[in-house]
Amino acid sequence: MFWLKAVGLVALAVAVRARLTSEITETWYGGFKVEFTLAPGGAVDNWHFCLKLSGPVESLQCDWIANTEKLSDTEWKLTNLNTDGHIDAGGNIQSAIVVTCRQECATGHHYTLTLNEGCGGGGGTPTGTGGQTNPPANTGSGGGGSGGPKDYADALRKSILFYDAQRSGKLPADNPIPWRHDSALGDCVQGGWYDAGDHVKFGLPFGAATHVLLWSMHDFKAGYQKANALDGARGAYAMVKWATDYMVAAYNKGTHELVAQIGDGDADHAYWGPP
């Protein structure tokens, strides 16, 4: 089983004593997730803390709010991202640490997680809460990943480019995909997205993808804004409007008919040329 124990203080970049609570919430073969809440008490503009584990781990990630630095096989330092350093007085941050372990972790090794005031130091006053889980089933290999920082904002912006590359119809002058040109201008409903890299416009997966994208913008709007990936010609709003404009055009109010699919899947899958 995994055993988590938090026995130190969080070292902040300003002289403020912090309270940190933590709990293992998920385990799998070769890894586990620790959710934590950091409450500095007073306002801070930067923070960091160090984690020391009782056994070696391959990676430790907290990518949404902190960079992770591997100091040794068992000790890691977490430092806030530039956009996540400020915490208001009386406020807190909540996030998760994903730990990828070696074989010991996968087979139920007891792990102790210690939060130190300074990297390389010892323990201190207990401030965290511990927890344990049963070991996960041995069903596969451990996860990969790196302990270094990852630019998820850039990944989000590149994900939007995927939908730009799927566009059908008359493309705008600011089309960012140089090898894509106008296509399917003779369709009964122009525009929309091609499906999965082929040239059919399937209404059901098309609508489902649009729904999930819109839901993500609703639930994670702040993340899109922080990544500069919401507004503007290259933003998520413009990207998904290409889809919703097509869906509106696909419905004939006069005849109450909906165009649910354009293209023949079998014939299309036998064709490997451009649209």
Side-chain angles (χ1 to χ4, degrees):
M1 68 185 69
F2 303 118
W3 174 255
L4 170 67
K5 185 179 181 184
V7 293
L9 293 174
V10 178
L12 298 174
V14 295
V16 176
R17 292 292 185 179
R19 174 174 174 78
L20 185 140
T21 58
S22 54
E23 179 184 8
I24 291 180
T25 56
E26 294 182 39
T27 63
W28 53 88
Y29 183 90
F32 59 93
K33 182 170 80 171
V34 181
E35 295 187 357
F36 69 89
T37 300
L38 170 63
V44 299
D45 290 321
N46 293 285
W47 51 265
H48 73 268
F49 59 89
C50 293
L51 307 178
K52 188 173 180 63
L53 297 104
S54 60
V57 299
E58 293 182 356
S59 69
L60 188 147
Q61 296 171 258
C62 188
D63 295 313
W64 286 108
I65 65 167
N67 291 324
T68 58
E69 179 184 358
K70 183 178 180 180
L71 305 179
S72 70
D73 281 348
T74 60
E75 190 169 14
W76 298 74
K77 180 179 179 181
L78 282 76
T79 305
N80 64 271
L81 298 178
N82 291 335
T83 53
D84 292 282
H86 181 76
I87 306 175
D88 291 327
N92 64 68
I93 56 169
Q94 298 178 335
S95 191
I97 301 168
V98 176
V99 179
T100 300
C101 318
R102 296 178 180 172
Q103 187 66 21
E104 307 96 297
C105 181
T107 55
H109 176 76
H110 289 258
Y111 268 77
T112 299
L113 179 64
T114 305
L115 287 74
N116 295 321
E117 283 192 73
C119 296
T125 305
T127 58
T129 57
Q132 66 178 29
T133 66
N134 293 324
N138 187 347
T139 57
S141 61
S146 167
K150 297 178 177 61
D151 191 344
Y152 281 104
D154 186 55
L156 178 59
R157 292 189 293 267
K158 284 182 169 60
S159 297
I160 292 172
L161 280 177
F162 167 81
Y163 293 95
D164 289 338
Q166 295 295 102
R167 289 190 294 190
S168 175
K170 180 70 176 177
L171 300 185
D174 63 353
N175 167 40
I177 312 297
W179 45 267
R180 281 301 325 279
H181 304 285
D182 299 345
S183 62
L185 299 182
D187 282 355
C188 59
V189 183
Q190 289 188 29
W193 291 326
Y194 294 121
D195 177 78
D198 35 45
H199 314 104
V200 182
K201 292 184 280 192
F202 291 106
L204 185 59
F206 185 107
T210 305
H211 171 80
V212 172
L213 287 166
L214 287 167
W215 198 257
S216 76
M217 294 175 208
H218 177 274
D219 273 17
F220 304 106
K221 183 177 180 179
Y224 277 90
Q225 290 173 323
K226 186 176 292 187
N228 294 319
L230 192 63
D231 299 301
R234 297 279 61 79
Y237 282 153
M239 173 267 291
V240 81
K241 186 177 184 299
W242 192 268
T244 55
D245 284 351
Y246 171 85
M247 296 169 75
V248 171
Y251 179 65
N252 187 319
K253 293 182 179 179
T255 62
H256 302 291
E257 292 178 333
L258 175 70
V259 177
Q261 177 177 325
I262 298 179
D264 183 322
D266 290 335
D268 182 81
H269 293 166
Y271 170 71
W272 288 87

